[in-house]
Amino acid sequence: MFLKKNFVVAISALLFFSVPHGLFSAAMNSRVRLVPKNIAERIFVTPEETLPELVAFLVSGSADVSSKTKVMHDWICDNIAYDTDVFTEEGAGSQDYETVLKKRRAVCVGYANLFAAMCYYAKIEQKIIPGWSKGAFYPGYLRDESDHAWNAVKMGNKWQLIDITWDAGYVEGRTFIKRYTTQWLSLSPAQFIYSHLPEESRWQLLGEKEIRTGEKFVAEPYLPGLFFEYGLKFGKEEPKYTNKIGGIFSFDLLNSKGGVMTMCKLRKKDGGIVDDSVWYENIGGGKRLFVDVPDGGEYRIALAARSDGKPMNPPYFSRAEFESGVLPAARALLSKKKITAAELEKFESSYVLVEDNGRYYYADDPLDTVRINAVTKILKALERNTSNYENVATLSVRADETYGGYGDAPRFPQMFRGYDRTSLFRVSPLAGKVKRGTRQSFSVESKSFTKIAFVLGGKDFVFFGKNPKTGAFTLDFDIPQDCPDNLEVYASKDGKQFEAIISYSVY
């Protein structure tokens, strides 16, 4: 018999609007790089007199408000960086549009002011909206004063909410990482409210029964635009932003799109992963996730997704890994003539060092396909993972006052890739460890397999029986005193080749 065993480190295989979904293209408008030289140079020197010319060029040929909005959004994302001087004693300074253009940097209100000025010259009705957000520095409650600003644009008889600041990139430490997206351009009000709460409730653009109070906004999970772009939603019982639990915590994650992979991890405050603390079962249209915590500390449930088969370069490398491993290996490819000098230059210029945390971050250029292809080519040649995930939800979890957590041992069985690729529905016991010298009832429900067995010592098969009525594989098993430290369950679809699906820790 042929045995295969591959560890699974993620939950996968389920599997980002008022305005129609897909109204805005996800690709950056190439017109932002075709601005005439005389305008491109003067806009950052004499912005007040040049902005009307810039806007006129950008929107020329655009037949409707949505396309004009998109090209102006894209130009700002491409040319204005987030001003990290906000973290210094002096602060970011004036945020009027003229100062923003001269500095080529802004904080949220500066982005909103610049877009508002461009809308004025494009003859588009807009509104700057101050409010609160669940951004990178969200403390888990509403500050006394609002901390963010975004825009609304009038499109026909409807308003569309837009956050250009978040679409331009993100901040790591005190470094701005340029990363263009459109995930805050096309959301419906019902989706936008999971991350943005305006000072005036009317700018939630929701019906009276759907209006969010500050208390409800704080309670709800943080869902970025990608959550909706990937076609994800929660079941009837939506998890909260902060969840206190007295044991296993579960919720349903459903999807409406094919070809999307998701994973769930339990993370410590420092970002470290807590192994074997997450489990899932397949249900109709998605997964039922189970999470538990080892102690009374606060943990983060990180949900992430990616498109199956679509390359996505790693968002960062540690400094040591990049400087001592990745970069020398990439340069070796040049000496072996597997890449060109131009490709190597593109690769090296694509990563930005953040001194605060010692990481090299990938800063992409959506209009430089040569650069994107060079980075992907080199990472593949170095056999680096190009199937990375994007964060699609953040919520926290901690044990309540009556529960101290499950302790030091693994909470759930260890999952292998064989489990991940099946239509496995239910496993029992749902425990990370079992005791030697005891009798335990095991059960596996799956339509994927014809045979299920324990494999002891890598060679001795102990087969489960199959219930003809329920189809479940069951076994009452006396766990021997000399049982290995791991009791592994193998499965076969054809009765000949077996692959590991889960493993119990034995004590």
Side-chain angles (χ1 to χ4, degrees):
M1 295 181 179
F2 181 67
L3 303 179
K4 292 195 294 181
K5 180 169 69 176
N6 291 297
F7 290 99
V8 113
V9 295
I11 291 178
S12 63
L14 8 149
L15 249 150
F16 242 15
F17 249 40
S18 74
V19 175
H21 186 81
L23 178 64
F24 298 103
S25 167
M28 180 177 281
N29 191 319
S30 60
R31 195 168 183 79
V32 303
R33 300 279 177 85
L34 300 175
V35 177
K37 186 177 180 180
N38 68 315
I39 297 176
E41 291 177 348
R42 289 188 292 114
I43 188 61
F44 304 112
V45 180
T46 56
E48 189 171 2
E49 67 179 48
T50 312
L51 188 60
E53 297 177 61
L54 173 66
V55 173
F57 172 79
L58 290 175
V59 303
S60 62
S62 296
D64 52 43
V65 173
S66 62
S67 57
K68 292 176 182 179
T69 296
K70 174 65 162 53
V71 71
M72 292 189 298
H73 162 282
D74 289 359
W75 187 89
I76 295 173
C77 287
D78 198 43
N79 286 277
I80 306 299
Y82 190 84
D83 194 347
T84 56
D85 283 348
V86 71
F87 302 121
T88 67
E89 290 184 8
E90 293 78 14
S94 177
Q95 292 297 303
D96 60 85
Y97 85 84
E98 297 97 332
T99 302
V100 166
L101 285 170
K102 287 178 180 179
K103 291 177 64 178
R104 300 191 68 163
R105 294 187 296 170
V107 294
C108 57
V109 69
Y111 280 94
N113 284 336
L114 175 56
F115 181 70
M118 296 178 79
C119 283
Y120 172 80
Y121 290 116
K123 296 181 173 55
I124 294 174
E125 187 177 356
Q126 71 80 43
K127 170 73 175 178
I128 296 175
I129 303 175
W132 295 266
S133 71
K134 291 177 179 170
F137 308 107
Y138 176 60
Y141 58 86
L142 298 186
R143 296 181 174 92
D144 292 337
E145 295 183 358
S146 59
D147 53 23
H148 195 44
W150 55 97
N151 301 85
V153 176
K154 189 73 172 292
M155 295 186 178
N157 62 350
K158 293 182 178 180
W159 287 91
Q160 176 63 33
L161 299 166
I162 297 171
D163 189 335
I164 301 179
T165 310
W166 288 11
D167 271 346
Y170 60 96
V171 174
E172 285 292 339
R174 298 190 179 190
T175 302
F176 173 70
I177 306 298
K178 190 174 182 180
R179 182 65 58 83
Y180 170 81
T181 77
T182 56
Q183 63 172 310
W184 306 106
L185 179 63
S186 303
L187 295 176
S188 70
Q191 296 165 343
F192 207 81
I193 195 64
Y194 279 98
S195 53
H196 295 69
L197 181 71
E199 289 181 355
E200 297 181 57
S201 61
R202 68 190 181 100
W203 284 108
Q204 293 183 25
L205 305 179
L206 298 169
E208 288 187 13
K209 294 182 179 179
E210 298 174 309
I211 289 291
R212 300 299 200 276
T213 62
E215 183 179 14
K216 187 172 183 181
F217 176 77
V218 169
E220 290 179 328
Y222 166 60
L223 304 180
L226 292 176
F227 182 87
F228 305 103
E229 285 188 23
Y230 277 120
L232 301 174
K233 66 177 182 177
F234 292 116
K236 291 182 179 179
E237 295 296 324
E238 182 179 85
K240 300 180 183 300
Y241 186 88
T242 302
N243 303 273
K244 284 193 173 184
I245 63 173
I248 293 177
F249 172 59
S250 67
F251 59 93
D252 294 346
L253 181 64
L254 309 176
N255 69 286
S256 60
K257 286 186 177 182
V260 173
M261 311 289 284
T262 66
M263 71 175 179
C264 177
K265 294 181 180 179
L266 185 68
R267 291 189 177 275
K268 304 174 186 177
K269 273 193 171 182
D270 64 5
I273 297 172
V274 184
D275 292 326
D276 305 321
S277 291
V278 177
W279 188 261
Y280 75 89
E281 293 176 355
N282 291 299
I283 59 174
K287 302 281 186 184
R288 179 159 294 148
L289 295 167
F290 300 87
V291 180
D292 205 346
V293 294
D295 52 42
E298 185 170 350
Y299 294 84
R300 182 165 61 93
I301 300 174
L303 296 172
R306 69 176 178 86
S307 297
D308 189 20
K310 179 182 177 181
M312 185 174 294
N313 296 322
Y316 62 82
F317 292 103
S318 70
R319 185 171 190 167
E321 183 182 15
F322 190 78
E323 294 181 354
S324 301
V326 176
L327 196 53
R331 289 169 177 169
L333 293 175
L334 176 61
S335 64
K336 296 175 183 177
K337 297 183 179 180
K338 292 186 176 181
I339 61 172
T340 66
E343 288 173 328
L344 179 61
E345 188 280 327
K346 290 285 188 182
F347 179 80
E348 291 184 0
S349 65
S350 295
Y351 287 89
V352 178
L353 174 63
V354 176
E355 295 283 359
D356 291 345
N357 59 17
R359 291 174 175 171
Y360 277 88
Y361 284 83
Y362 177 65
D364 69 340
D365 183 339
L367 292 179
D368 192 343
T369 56
V370 174
R371 176 178 174 177
I372 295 169
N373 292 338
V375 172
T376 301
K377 177 181 177 179
I378 290 173
L379 290 176
K380 283 187 174 181
L382 298 179
E383 297 184 346
R384 296 283 176 167
N385 182 20
T386 58
S387 299
N388 288 276
Y389 288 76
E390 298 179 282
N391 176 60
V392 294
T394 299
L395 35 148
S396 66
V397 61
R398 69 184 309 157
D400 63 23
E401 293 75 11
T402 65
Y403 180 55
Y406 62 78
D408 296 329
R411 177 60 185 88
F412 298 109
Q414 184 179 19
M415 289 183 288
F416 297 102
R417 293 198 184 279
Y419 181 99
D420 202 46
R421 291 196 294 263
T422 71
S423 59
L424 195 66
F425 284 89
R426 188 164 291 110
V427 170
S428 178
L430 199 56
K433 62 179 183 178
V434 292
K435 189 175 182 180
R436 291 183 177 89
T438 63
R439 187 175 182 83
Q440 178 72 59
S441 295
F442 294 90
S443 174
V444 175
E445 295 180 31
S446 174
K447 296 180 180 179
S448 295
F449 305 117
T450 59
K451 290 184 178 181
I452 301 284
F454 286 128
V455 179
L456 305 179
K459 59 180 180 178
D460 296 326
F461 282 72
V462 180
F463 287 96
F464 286 51
K466 187 173 183 179
N467 187 311
K469 293 183 179 180
T470 65
F473 295 88
T474 61
L475 176 66
D476 291 329
F477 185 58
D478 293 311
I479 303 173
Q481 291 289 353
D482 61 350
C483 183
D485 291 341
N486 295 298
L487 185 59
E488 297 174 347
V489 180
Y490 279 72
S492 175
K493 294 181 179 180
D494 60 6
K496 297 177 181 179
Q497 293 188 342
F498 283 78
E499 184 173 18
I501 53 173
I502 63 172
S503 175
Y504 292 95
S505 176
V506 181
Y507 70 103

